[in-house]
């Protein structure tokens, strides 16, 4: 076979090229795909570089792959093609999807134990780790960046508008927004990551179920129920604010951040992890407070749930590489690294040790309000409604919710219709997922 | 990764899906206006440049320039100009009483991607129109001028009919462009939003396949999309070509 020989000789030449261009002392590269852009990306790279400096055996190569959805789908596509990275960052709502991909995932507990590291699960914050454990309590991926939505507010604007008390209830938010608009601000309130903030966290904050079967934790046969009157009434109310500019929609994810930075809105509900970005860009005094609640639904708020992402290890790379993965994970979760990450970015410290360290360093005294997120998460013992959510295809469900909410904000649908349609469409995806993973 | 043969179920599901049907309509609106605007303005520009004597090459170079811009860059450019918070155009629109927000208003988003997609294509059309005009014998136009026909009449009765092969060719190319090549612009500017208002067919293929991970549905859509474009081209060649004067 002539062509066979040719292929072999081409292969030989290529192997020689690789041998010649790769110095013998080169460290083993660990591919790490992440979704941390901007400030967060710089911080992620610093962690990887610092880790690389501690040893010479492995080299973690962080690669920015776009937003969360893009990163996750890129990794899945890469896995199908046999080109997967060692580590991929997957957002919290991708957990159910990743758990279902059993053949692709190397559970982090096994990664650590196989390479002689211990994994102290008791040391993690319960609100963080419980979101990611299997029903049997196994941890499949390593928590990395976890945040929760808070209310960011512009202190200067509040002073100018004569708002003396930071709003705690939605009534107070409305009153404050009216004062802000009267004082000449473009709008009062805006928010981003609307499915996460206004539906998932609104539900847990008021101890409302988002779906059946303990929000999906108890089984695949879960269905959504977030089209309840509590959610509908709140959304209808906010949509009604649109006309008077009390509320203005500024896009998905963090697209509305410039509105807050440029003082086009003075209250902004979004992740605590915007701390680093706001601190760097805002030219006004800002603060963070707990999410507003609706006294008609609950006497005092329950607890909020986390968002953010974990690091998943994918199978199929060379066996020796995974020692490097374990070493990197071990470094990443050390109190020093986590405390630094928490204080720079506004993500919550994922371990108790990192929280203690931040306290000891006096971070919360020097920066009042930075412990809002962690207080919200630990406000009460989580109920089945406020432990988190675990739904299959939830990344896609969030897009459906985004679509329906946008239709609500631009007035083409009522809150009731938007939520009923969202539940109907999303339940189809849940059925699909249940069927595919039985 | 497991696979299962389901015959035509993907197509069946697709036509049951109201989102897919509305995506059809949006694609029609988008490609109609993109073609109209990009060809119309290219024709006007070409007719003007054709009459310019001084600095003709300078005008030509500047008008051809946008073609070198990648679709994503073109999209980003327009996105920045129209950003509801930071954009300069959005800022001036406010004085005109328009509260521009393409992140919320589906019509605004559609207008924005039509503008971006047309702007990108004007250069290409311009190039062909001006080449076509230069191929028209001067003597015809001069004779008409001597008979007392004004510039407008000369254009409509001589230049425009003689340009019809070029116009026809560009019509096909622009339709195909609007259907297939505008992905980068949509991705950079609106990502198909808000509320799927700019979810044109080619973007839906990507969104369902790579974001939604519904590979079967996405594949079915691309087959349909290909059939549509083939159909368009056949219709154009069959019926419009007959009226073209060569």
């Amino acid at each position: 076979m002539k062509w066979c020989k040719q292929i072999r000789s081409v292969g030989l030449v290529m192997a020689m090229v690789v041998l010649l261009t790769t110095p013998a002392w080169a460290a083993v590269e660990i591919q790490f795909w992440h979704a941390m852009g901007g400030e967060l990306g710089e911080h992620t790279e610093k962690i990887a570089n610092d880790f690389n400096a501690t040893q010479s055996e492995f080299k973690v190569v962080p690669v920015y792959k776009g937003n969360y959805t893009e990163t996750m789908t890129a990794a899945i596509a890469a896995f199908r093609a046999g080109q997967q990275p060692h580590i991929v960052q997957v957002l919290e709502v991708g957990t159910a999807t990743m758990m279902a991909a059993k053949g692709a995932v190397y559970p982090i507990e096994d990664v650590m134990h196989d390479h002689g590291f211990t994994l102290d699960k008791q040391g993690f914050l319960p609100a963080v780790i419980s979101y990611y454990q299997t029903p049997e309590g196994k941890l499949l991926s390593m928590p990395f960046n976890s945040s929760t939505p808070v209310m960011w507010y512009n202190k200067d604007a509040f002073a100018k508008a004569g708002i003396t008390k930071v709003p705690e209830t939605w009534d107070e938010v409305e009153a404050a927004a009216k004062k802000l608009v009267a004082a000449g601000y473009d709008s009062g309130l805006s928010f981003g990551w609307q499915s996460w903030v206004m539906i998932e966290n609104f539900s847990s904050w008021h101890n409302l179920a988002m779906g059946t079967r303990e929000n999906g934790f108890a089984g695949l046969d879960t269905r959504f129920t977030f089209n309840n009157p509590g959610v509908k009434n709140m959304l209808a109310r906010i949509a009604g604010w649109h006309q008077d500019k009390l509320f203005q929609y500024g896009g998905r994810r963090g697209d509305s951040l410039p509105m807050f930075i440029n003082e086009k809105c003075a209250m902004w509900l979004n992740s605590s992890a915007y701390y680093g970005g706001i601190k760097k860009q805002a030219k006004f005094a800002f603060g963070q407070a707990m999410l507003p609640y609706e006294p008609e639904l609950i006497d005092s708020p329950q607890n909020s749930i986390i968002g953010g992402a974990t690091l998943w290890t994918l199978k199929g790379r060379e066996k020796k590489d995974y020692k490097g993965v374990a070493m990197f994970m071990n470094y990443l979760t050390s109190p020093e690294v986590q405390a630094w990450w928490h204080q720079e970015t506004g993500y919550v410290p994922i371990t108790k040790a990192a929280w203690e360290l931040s306290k000891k360093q006096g971070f919360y005294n020097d920066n009042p309000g930075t412990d809002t997120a962690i207080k919200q998460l630990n406000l009460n013992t989580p109920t089945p409604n406020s432990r988190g959510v675990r739904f299959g295809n939830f990344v896609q469900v969030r897009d459906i919710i985004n679509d329906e909410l946008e239709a609500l904000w631009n007035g083409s649908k009522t809150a009731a219709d938007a939520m009923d349609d969202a539940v109907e469409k999303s339940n189809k995806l849940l059925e699909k997922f249940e069927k595919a993973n039985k | 990764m497991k696979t299962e043969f389901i015959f035509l179920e993907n197509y069946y599901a697709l036509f049951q899906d109201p989102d897919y049907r509305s995506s059809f309509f949006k694609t029609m609106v988008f490609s109609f206006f993109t073609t109209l605007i990009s060809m119309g303005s290219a024709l006007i520009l070409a007719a003007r440049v054709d009459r310019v004597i001084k600095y003709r090459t300078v005008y030509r170079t500047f008008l051809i320039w946008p073609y070198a811009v990648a679709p994503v860059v073109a999209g980003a450019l327009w996105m920045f100009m129209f950003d509801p918070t930071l954009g300069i155009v959005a800022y001036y629109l406010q004085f005109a009483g328009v509260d521009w927000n393409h992140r919320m208003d589906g019509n605004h988003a559609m207008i924005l991607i039509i503008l971006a997609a047309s702007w990108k294509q004007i250069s290409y059309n311009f190039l062909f129109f001006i080449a076509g005009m230069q191929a028209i014998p001067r003597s015809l136009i001069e004779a008409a001028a001597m008979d007392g026909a004004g510039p407008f009449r000369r254009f409509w009765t001589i230049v425009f009919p003689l340009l019809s092969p070029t116009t026809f060719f560009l019509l096909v190319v622009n339709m195909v462009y609007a259907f297939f090549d505008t992905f980068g612009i949509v991705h950079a500017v609106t990502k198909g939003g808000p509320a799927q208002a700019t979810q044109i067919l080619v973007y839906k293929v990507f969104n369902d396949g790579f974001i939604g991970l519904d590979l079967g549905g996405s594949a079915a859509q691309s087959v349909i999309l290909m059939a549509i474009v083939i159909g368009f081209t056949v219709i154009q060649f069959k019926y419009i070509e007959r009226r073209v004067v060569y």
Side-chain angles (χ1 to χ4, degrees):
Chain A
M1 293 271 223
K2 205 172 161 193
W3 57 271
C4 210
K5 232 181 207 169
Q6 266 172 353
I7 288 178
R8 221 179 289 157
S9 56
V10 167
L12 209 68
V13 169
M14 273 164 62
M16 276 167 68
V17 169
V18 170
L19 277 178
L20 285 174
T21 49
T22 316
W25 43 264
V28 177
E29 287 198 350
I30 307 288
Q31 296 291 328
F32 169 28
W33 288 6
H34 65 84
M36 305 270 85
E39 300 274 305
L40 295 174
E42 287 166 27
H43 290 126
T44 308
E45 290 195 358
K46 184 175 153 46
I47 291 179
N49 292 337
D50 289 353
F51 168 73
N52 292 340
T54 61
Q55 45 76 48
S56 56
E57 201 179 338
F58 297 99
K59 183 171 179 247
V60 172
V61 185
V63 184
Y64 175 62
K65 278 280 170 184
N67 67 34
Y68 281 134
T69 322
E70 287 161 353
T71 306
M72 180 173 165
T73 46
I76 291 172
F79 190 85
R80 289 192 169 143
Q83 303 286 326
Q84 69 272 33
H86 299 82
I87 307 171
V88 61
Q89 186 187 24
V90 174
L91 74 169
E92 81 284 21
V93 292
T95 304
T97 305
M98 293 299 284
M99 277 182 178
K102 287 194 182 76
V105 170
Y106 191 169
I108 195 68
E109 274 197 54
D110 298 346
V111 176
M112 299 308 270
H113 291 150
D114 290 352
H115 298 92
F117 289 97
T118 52
L119 188 66
D120 175 23
K121 283 192 276 187
Q122 302 302 318
F124 287 93
L125 289 185
V128 173
I129 197 168
S130 67
Y131 198 108
Y132 298 109
Q133 278 167 313
T134 63
E136 297 82 43
K138 191 165 184 174
L139 188 62
L140 295 184
S141 58
M142 184 61 93
F144 172 49
N145 55 324
S146 296
S147 66
T148 198
V150 294
M151 183 169 79
W152 295 99
Y153 63 97
N154 181 332
K155 284 183 178 167
D156 293 356
F158 272 27
K160 208 172 133 194
I163 302 163
T164 44
K165 179 174 169 282
V166 179
E168 284 174 13
T169 64
W170 280 100
D171 281 338
E172 289 169 14
V173 169
E174 184 173 1
K178 278 184 180 152
K179 282 185 184 167
L180 285 162
V181 172
Y185 284 90
D186 273 10
S187 62
L189 168 83
S190 194
F191 43 74
W193 283 103
Q194 46 187 354
S195 165
W196 181 54
V197 176
M198 300 310 292
I199 298 201
E200 295 158 43
N201 268 291
F202 182 84
S203 297
S204 75
W205 200 231
H206 296 89
N207 200 13
L208 299 167
M210 203 188 155
T212 58
R213 303 284 279 145
E214 301 185 12
N215 280 349
F217 275 90
L220 286 171
D221 52 342
T222 170
R223 295 293 179 267
F224 288 111
T225 57
F226 58 82
N227 54 342
N228 55 55
V231 173
K232 280 179 180 171
N233 290 341
M234 187 265 316
L235 292 175
R237 184 175 185 189
I238 294 175
W241 293 353
H242 218 280
Q243 209 169 9
D244 304 327
K245 299 269 193 161
L246 302 184
F247 157 70
Q248 216 174 359
Y249 179 62
R252 297 180 182 187
R253 290 178 280 273
D255 285 357
S256 49
L257 176 64
M259 286 180 67
F260 184 67
I261 300 286
N262 292 303
E263 306 192 54
K264 302 253 174 183
C265 70
M267 289 180 281
W268 191 53
L269 308 184
N270 213 337
S271 164
S272 60
Y274 285 99
Y275 177 67
I278 295 176
K279 193 168 88 172
K280 193 169 176 186
Q281 297 172 53
K283 294 191 179 67
F284 50 83
F286 65 88
Q288 46 180 319
M290 287 203 193
L291 291 170
Y293 71 100
E294 179 55 64
E296 269 179 33
L297 294 173
I298 197 162
D299 293 335
S300 68
Q302 172 59 37
N303 65 288
S304 65
I305 52 174
I306 57 162
T310 54
L311 304 181
W312 291 77
T313 312
L314 298 179
K315 281 184 181 163
R317 303 293 295 226
E318 283 206 42
K319 220 174 162 196
K320 61 174 172 31
D321 297 3
Y322 290 103
K323 188 184 161 204
V325 174
M327 283 165 70
F328 181 56
M329 296 292 183
N330 191 47
Y331 174 81
L332 192 78
T333 47
S334 66
E336 292 74 24
V337 175
Q338 270 302 318
W340 174 82
W341 171 254
H342 158 55
Q343 294 172 17
E344 287 293 317
T345 60
Y347 280 111
V348 296
I350 55 166
T351 60
K352 290 168 187 161
W355 189 13
E356 290 302 324
L357 184 63
S358 297
K359 277 186 203 162
K360 219 189 291 167
Q361 289 168 342
F363 177 68
Y364 304 118
N365 290 331
D366 299 345
N367 303 280
T370 44
D371 53 353
T372 308
I374 205 161
K375 273 189 193 156
Q376 270 187 185
L377 290 171
N378 292 326
L379 203 57
N380 285 299
T381 316
T383 67
N385 295 335
S386 71
R387 179 181 169 195
V389 293
R390 184 166 298 158
F391 300 108
N393 286 334
F394 198 54
V395 179
Q396 291 85 308
V397 170
R398 272 194 176 167
D399 271 344
I400 292 175
I401 293 176
N402 273 327
D403 282 344
E404 295 297 334
L405 285 178
E406 280 167 354
L408 166 63
W409 307 142
N410 68 26
S412 50
K413 271 190 189 173
T414 64
D417 287 349
M419 284 303 103
D420 289 342
D421 290 354
V423 165
E424 194 194 323
K425 283 186 197 171
S426 309
N427 277 339
K428 274 188 199 147
L429 287 178
L430 285 184
E431 278 163 35
K432 238 186 191 175
F433 189 78
E434 189 190 351
K435 214 169 114 191
N437 292 293
K438 247 183 190 157
Chain B
M1 306 287 149
K2 56 182 179 188
T3 50
E4 186 193 348
F5 183 71
I6 54 167
F7 204 51
L8 291 174
E9 206 176 285
N10 277 325
Y11 292 90
Y12 180 73
L14 215 51
F15 288 107
Q16 293 293 311
D17 182 6
D19 287 348
Y20 188 65
R21 291 197 295 258
S22 75
S23 174
F24 251 101
F25 174 69
K26 283 163 204 155
T27 314
M28 292 304 153
V29 172
F30 173 73
S31 49
F32 175 76
F33 282 105
T34 305
T35 309
L36 187 77
I37 294 175
S38 65
M39 285 182 66
S41 31
L43 188 61
I44 294 169
L45 287 170
R48 301 297 296 170
V49 168
D50 198 42
R51 297 185 59 204
V52 169
I53 303 188
K54 251 187 180 176
Y55 307 123
R56 189 192 276 190
T57 40
V58 178
Y59 285 113
R60 235 167 30 195
T61 313
F62 276 108
L63 285 168
I64 293 164
W65 221 332
Y67 196 60
V69 178
V72 180
V73 180
L77 221 69
W78 285 83
M79 186 189 73
F80 277 123
M81 284 195 295
F82 279 86
D83 187 290
T85 316
L86 310 165
I88 179 103
V89 181
Y91 178 74
Y92 286 118
L93 277 174
Q94 230 167 30
F95 294 114
V98 182
D99 190 8
W100 182 270
N101 189 350
H102 66 260
R103 294 209 177 104
M104 189 187 82
D105 190 316
N107 292 333
H108 289 181
M110 187 51 111
I111 292 170
L112 184 55
I113 59 165
I114 288 173
L115 283 177
S118 321
W119 176 78
K120 173 81 185 61
Q121 194 66 0
I122 285 176
S123 311
Y124 182 85
N125 295 342
F126 169 79
L127 202 63
F128 277 86
F129 275 133
I130 200 138
M133 282 178 188
Q134 275 162 4
I136 296 170
R138 287 277 129 191
S139 52
L140 278 178
I141 296 166
E142 278 157 18
M146 266 187 280
D147 287 343
F152 191 72
R153 198 184 159 83
R154 288 202 298 268
F155 179 80
W156 276 116
T157 50
I158 299 173
V159 178
F160 192 67
L162 284 174
L163 266 182
S164 56
T166 313
T167 313
F168 168 63
F169 162 77
L170 285 177
L171 195 65
V172 179
V173 170
N174 276 280
M175 287 300 256
V176 174
Y177 164 79
F179 265 83
F180 278 116
D181 288 353
T182 44
F183 170 81
I185 288 171
V186 179
H187 194 52
V189 180
T190 62
K191 289 202 162 51
Q196 303 198 359
T198 53
Q199 181 101 287
I200 57 170
L201 289 171
V202 64
Y203 198 76
K204 197 169 162 56
V205 170
F206 162 78
N207 214 17
D208 288 4
F210 293 93
I211 305 297
L213 292 174
D214 175 16
L215 295 179
S218 168
Q221 286 178 40
S222 39
V223 171
I224 293 173
L225 192 55
M226 187 179 72
I228 293 170
V229 173
I230 291 175
F232 257 124
T233 318
V234 169
I235 291 171
Q236 283 181 327
F237 273 100
K238 269 214 145 140
Y239 298 101
I240 305 179
E241 201 182 13
R242 282 186 199 154
R243 273 179 245 150
V244 172
V245 189
Y246 282 106

